[in-house]
Amino acid sequence: MVSLSPQTLARARAGQEAAVAAVLTHMMPLLRRLAARAVCPGLEFEDALQEGIIGLFGAIKTYHSAGGASFETYAAVCIRNAVTAEDVAELFQKNQE
């Protein structure tokens, strides 16, 4: 996977739609893969994908290259955490019924 340029990430962080779209397009294969793995009773693929996109937006806002990790690595963790949190919430809600 080719890394995103720091300029693209900075523009995306600033809210420039074209840059956000470029980041989303770049990360979509990973988003789809993680969403597919999270599908379970009560959590459909589209819902998991949406949660992953929310996690990606959070990664765009909070990423700092000084941390040492590439954006892709950091975003993967944020996406996985967002999808997993939704998965757990769905299971918890299902068990409450």
Side-chain angles (χ1 to χ4, degrees):
M1 180 184 287
V2 177
S3 290
L4 290 163
S5 72
Q7 296 82 10
T8 301
L9 291 172
R11 290 192 319 267
R13 189 175 300 115
Q16 193 176 73
E17 285 186 36
V20 172
V23 173
L24 185 59
T25 300
H26 180 77
M27 298 299 293
M28 189 54 73
L30 177 65
L31 282 162
R32 290 182 167 281
R33 206 168 35 252
L34 293 175
R37 288 183 192 162
V39 171
C40 66
L43 183 63
E44 297 178 8
F45 175 78
E46 291 80 14
D47 295 332
L49 183 62
Q50 187 175 32
E51 291 300 322
I53 291 170
I54 292 169
L56 177 60
F57 289 155
I60 291 170
K61 288 185 176 209
T62 59
Y63 174 72
H64 298 287
S65 60
S70 70
F71 174 75
E72 289 79 2
T73 300
Y74 181 76
V77 172
C78 291
I79 293 165
R80 192 175 300 114
N81 287 344
V83 171
T84 302
E86 183 61 22
D87 192 13
V88 168
E90 287 295 327
L91 288 173
F92 181 75
Q93 188 176 35
K94 181 179 177 185
N95 287 333
Q96 295 297 315
E97 295 174 351

